[in-house]
Amino acid sequence: MSNIDALMRLSPVIPVLVIEDPARAQPLARALVAKGHPLLEVTLRTPAALEVIAEMARVEGAIVGAGTVLNPRDLDASLKAGAQFIVSPGLTEPLGRAAIASGVPFLPGVASAGDIMRGLDLGLDRFKFFPAVAAGGIPALKALAAPFHQCRFCPTGGISEATAPDWLALEAVLCVGGSWVAAGI
Ligand code: 3PG
């Protein structure tokens, strides 16, 4: 199993997907992979999400993860559906410990120095910076990255095709996430 750092370096943009209809899963995954997006984050925000993960995981070249994973129960369900990485909007100790014990690549959300310190205490140093724009944007991430120079981030939330390059130019940023990627497909 890859580690989260290797996955974050695979491609600069991770599509964040909110999908209602499982019939859309495979065509959308194929289209995104063809556009150079092998990593696909399927959020657990729709009743169909677990089925969508299972469907997308069958698409050649797709590395399908679950997003909006809130607790160990969501984690288990995502892993059973075939999720190959796990993204959460924030970091709790129960989820962090369960994700680490499972061995799955795990990208928890952080928005403050305290969040990052709790992650470091668990042995984590790769984070989603969420909600990236609302939490202060590029100046906030630069300020947070300075004392935590060993950490790397995937900013997500409010990023667009136009602003993604500004984020990706930061040394602390390995990739960005966003729902805009799939919007036109
Ligand atoms: C997420 O789940 O990571 C965000 O809701 C995605 O944010 P965006 O829709 O602003 O890209």
Side-chain angles (χ1 to χ4, degrees):
M1 196 180 278
S2 308
N3 66 34
I4 191 65
D5 179 81
L7 291 181
M8 291 169 81
R9 292 172 193 275
L10 275 182
S11 68
V13 177
I14 302 177
V16 176
L17 307 172
V18 184
I19 303 177
E20 304 281 353
D21 179 6
R24 269 196 82 209
Q26 290 207 9
L28 180 60
R30 274 193 291 274
L32 289 166
V33 170
K35 286 182 81 168
H37 303 297
L39 259 61
L40 308 174
E41 179 189 332
V42 179
T43 60
L44 301 188
R45 291 187 212 166
T46 65
L50 294 172
E51 194 181 341
V52 169
I53 289 170
E55 288 291 322
M56 286 190 160
R58 296 198 184 97
V59 171
E60 200 180 329
I63 300 171
V64 184
T68 325
V69 173
L70 303 183
N71 51 50
R73 194 177 62 246
D74 288 348
L75 171 72
D76 286 347
S78 301
L79 294 177
K80 284 199 182 86
Q84 291 167 277
F85 64 97
I86 298 293
V87 184
S88 62
L91 177 59
T92 68
E93 199 167 324
L95 176 61
R97 291 202 184 283
I100 291 164
S102 77
V104 71
F106 176 49
L107 190 66
V110 295
S112 70
D115 292 344
I116 294 172
M117 288 165 69
R118 277 189 293 280
L120 290 172
D121 281 347
L122 290 169
L124 302 165
D125 59 10
R126 298 293 180 265
F127 300 106
K128 166 172 169 160
F129 177 51
F130 178 81
V133 172
I138 287 175
L141 182 56
K142 274 188 179 167
L144 281 172
F148 301 110
H149 56 88
Q150 71 275 52
C151 296
R152 293 292 179 273
F153 300 89
C154 175
T156 305
I159 296 175
S160 67
E161 186 169 9
T163 60
D166 298 337
W167 290 93
L168 289 165
L170 304 183
E171 194 187 342
V173 171
L174 297 182
C175 58
V176 300
S179 59
W180 90 86
V181 191
I185 297 178

mmCIF file of all heavy atoms in Angstrom, residues 16 41 43 45 68 128 130 156-159 177-180, ligand 1:
data_model
loop_
_atom_site.group_PDB
_atom_site.id
_atom_site.type_symbol
_atom_site.label_atom_id
_atom_site.label_comp_id
_atom_site.label_asym_id
_atom_site.label_seq_id
_atom_site.Cartn_x
_atom_site.Cartn_y
_atom_site.Cartn_z
ATOM 1 N N VAL A 16 -12.577 16.528 -5.875
ATOM 2 C CA VAL A 16 -13.447 16.197 -4.734
ATOM 3 C C VAL A 16 -14.849 15.993 -5.299
ATOM 4 O O VAL A 16 -15.415 16.897 -5.919
ATOM 5 C CB VAL A 16 -13.425 17.333 -3.690
ATOM 6 C CG1 VAL A 16 -14.405 17.040 -2.562
ATOM 7 C CG2 VAL A 16 -12.012 17.512 -3.130
ATOM 8 N N GLU A 41 -11.362 11.662 -4.914
ATOM 9 C CA GLU A 41 -11.887 11.677 -3.540
ATOM 10 C C GLU A 41 -13.409 11.710 -3.591
ATOM 11 O O GLU A 41 -14.007 12.713 -3.987
ATOM 12 C CB GLU A 41 -11.354 12.898 -2.785
ATOM 13 C CG GLU A 41 -11.884 12.978 -1.359
ATOM 14 C CD GLU A 41 -11.548 14.297 -0.671
ATOM 15 O OE1 GLU A 41 -10.530 14.929 -1.011
ATOM 16 O OE2 GLU A 41 -12.326 14.703 0.217
ATOM 17 N N THR A 43 -16.700 11.930 -1.631
ATOM 18 C CA THR A 43 -17.124 12.326 -0.288
ATOM 19 C C THR A 43 -18.312 11.485 0.173
ATOM 20 O O THR A 43 -19.215 11.182 -0.610
ATOM 21 C CB THR A 43 -17.533 13.814 -0.260
ATOM 22 O OG1 THR A 43 -18.613 14.010 -1.170
ATOM 23 C CG2 THR A 43 -16.368 14.701 -0.666
ATOM 24 N N ARG A 45 -21.003 12.071 1.381
ATOM 25 C CA ARG A 45 -22.065 13.050 1.644
ATOM 26 C C ARG A 45 -23.349 12.694 0.931
ATOM 27 O O ARG A 45 -24.307 13.457 0.967
ATOM 28 C CB ARG A 45 -21.631 14.439 1.165
ATOM 29 C CG ARG A 45 -20.529 14.996 1.991
ATOM 30 C CD ARG A 45 -20.258 16.427 1.576
ATOM 31 N NE ARG A 45 -18.850 16.694 1.759
ATOM 32 C CZ ARG A 45 -18.234 17.735 1.255
ATOM 33 N NH1 ARG A 45 -18.887 18.607 0.519
ATOM 34 N NH2 ARG A 45 -16.950 17.897 1.469
ATOM 35 N N THR A 68 -14.689 13.185 3.581
ATOM 36 C CA THR A 68 -15.712 13.436 4.604
ATOM 37 C C THR A 68 -15.861 12.214 5.528
ATOM 38 O O THR A 68 -16.967 11.859 5.951
ATOM 39 C CB THR A 68 -17.081 13.841 3.989
ATOM 40 O OG1 THR A 68 -16.877 14.628 2.805
ATOM 41 C CG2 THR A 68 -17.878 14.679 4.971
ATOM 42 N N LYS A 128 -4.628 17.754 5.009
ATOM 43 C CA LYS A 128 -5.482 18.598 4.185
ATOM 44 C C LYS A 128 -5.619 19.926 4.934
ATOM 45 O O LYS A 128 -5.885 19.921 6.143
ATOM 46 C CB LYS A 128 -6.839 17.897 4.053
ATOM 47 C CG LYS A 128 -7.979 18.723 3.525
ATOM 48 C CD LYS A 128 -9.180 17.812 3.291
ATOM 49 C CE LYS A 128 -10.433 18.618 3.007
ATOM 50 N NZ LYS A 128 -11.459 17.802 2.325
ATOM 51 N N PHE A 130 -7.943 22.728 5.491
ATOM 52 C CA PHE A 130 -9.360 22.875 5.199
ATOM 53 C C PHE A 130 -10.052 23.699 6.279
ATOM 54 O O PHE A 130 -9.798 23.466 7.462
ATOM 55 C CB PHE A 130 -10.018 21.490 5.110
ATOM 56 C CG PHE A 130 -11.498 21.560 4.858
ATOM 57 C CD1 PHE A 130 -11.978 21.770 3.573
ATOM 58 C CD2 PHE A 130 -12.397 21.422 5.905
ATOM 59 C CE1 PHE A 130 -13.352 21.854 3.334
ATOM 60 C CE2 PHE A 130 -13.770 21.511 5.668
ATOM 61 C CZ PHE A 130 -14.243 21.720 4.383
ATOM 62 N N THR A 156 -7.652 22.558 0.428
ATOM 63 C CA THR A 156 -8.945 22.244 -0.209
ATOM 64 C C THR A 156 -10.012 23.129 0.412
ATOM 65 O O THR A 156 -9.990 23.368 1.621
ATOM 66 C CB THR A 156 -9.320 20.762 0.052
ATOM 67 O OG1 THR A 156 -8.269 19.931 -0.393
ATOM 68 C CG2 THR A 156 -10.597 20.388 -0.692
ATOM 69 N N GLY A 157 -10.945 23.572 -0.434
ATOM 70 C CA GLY A 157 -12.045 24.400 0.059
ATOM 71 C C GLY A 157 -11.910 25.815 -0.457
ATOM 72 O O GLY A 157 -11.114 26.588 0.061
ATOM 73 N N GLY A 158 -12.659 26.099 -1.533
ATOM 74 C CA GLY A 158 -12.635 27.447 -2.095
ATOM 75 C C GLY A 158 -11.563 27.676 -3.141
ATOM 76 O O GLY A 158 -11.384 28.795 -3.613
ATOM 77 N N ILE A 159 -10.852 26.612 -3.515
ATOM 78 C CA ILE A 159 -9.804 26.749 -4.541
ATOM 79 C C ILE A 159 -10.431 26.552 -5.914
ATOM 80 O O ILE A 159 -11.384 25.786 -6.076
ATOM 81 C CB ILE A 159 -8.670 25.742 -4.262
ATOM 82 C CG1 ILE A 159 -8.021 26.098 -2.920
ATOM 83 C CG2 ILE A 159 -7.629 25.756 -5.379
ATOM 84 C CD1 ILE A 159 -6.977 25.119 -2.456
ATOM 85 N N GLY A 177 -6.981 20.158 -3.567
ATOM 86 C CA GLY A 177 -8.219 19.445 -3.856
ATOM 87 C C GLY A 177 -9.314 20.418 -4.220
ATOM 88 O O GLY A 177 -9.263 21.589 -3.827
ATOM 89 N N GLY A 178 -10.297 19.948 -4.993
ATOM 90 C CA GLY A 178 -11.404 20.844 -5.302
ATOM 91 C C GLY A 178 -12.505 20.179 -6.087
ATOM 92 O O GLY A 178 -12.274 19.214 -6.810
ATOM 93 N N SER A 179 -13.698 20.722 -5.884
ATOM 94 C CA SER A 179 -14.860 20.167 -6.589
ATOM 95 C C SER A 179 -14.997 20.736 -7.996
ATOM 96 O O SER A 179 -15.742 20.212 -8.801
ATOM 97 C CB SER A 179 -16.121 20.438 -5.781
ATOM 98 O OG SER A 179 -16.288 21.826 -5.585
ATOM 99 N N TRP A 180 -14.233 21.826 -8.275
ATOM 100 C CA TRP A 180 -14.386 22.437 -9.602
ATOM 101 C C TRP A 180 -13.957 21.479 -10.711
ATOM 102 O O TRP A 180 -14.453 21.554 -11.831
ATOM 103 C CB TRP A 180 -13.567 23.741 -9.672
ATOM 104 C CG TRP A 180 -12.167 23.560 -10.144
ATOM 105 C CD1 TRP A 180 -11.745 23.533 -11.462
ATOM 106 C CD2 TRP A 180 -10.989 23.334 -9.341
ATOM 107 N NE1 TRP A 180 -10.385 23.317 -11.500
ATOM 108 C CE2 TRP A 180 -9.893 23.192 -10.227
ATOM 109 C CE3 TRP A 180 -10.749 23.262 -7.974
ATOM 110 C CZ2 TRP A 180 -8.595 22.966 -9.784
ATOM 111 C CZ3 TRP A 180 -9.461 23.043 -7.524
ATOM 112 C CH2 TRP A 180 -8.408 22.891 -8.412
HETATM 113 C C1 3PG B 1 -14.105 19.375 0.456
HETATM 114 O O1 3PG B 1 -14.928 18.560 0.761
HETATM 115 O O2 3PG B 1 -12.894 19.170 0.539
HETATM 116 C C2 3PG B 1 -14.568 20.711 0.009
HETATM 117 O O3 3PG B 1 -15.932 20.861 0.233
HETATM 118 C C3 3PG B 1 -14.284 20.993 -1.407
HETATM 119 O O4 3PG B 1 -14.308 22.362 -1.492
HETATM 120 P P1 3PG B 1 -14.668 23.111 -2.845
HETATM 121 O O5 3PG B 1 -16.059 22.652 -3.228
HETATM 122 O O6 3PG B 1 -14.613 24.575 -2.477
HETATM 123 O O7 3PG B 1 -13.659 22.741 -3.891
#
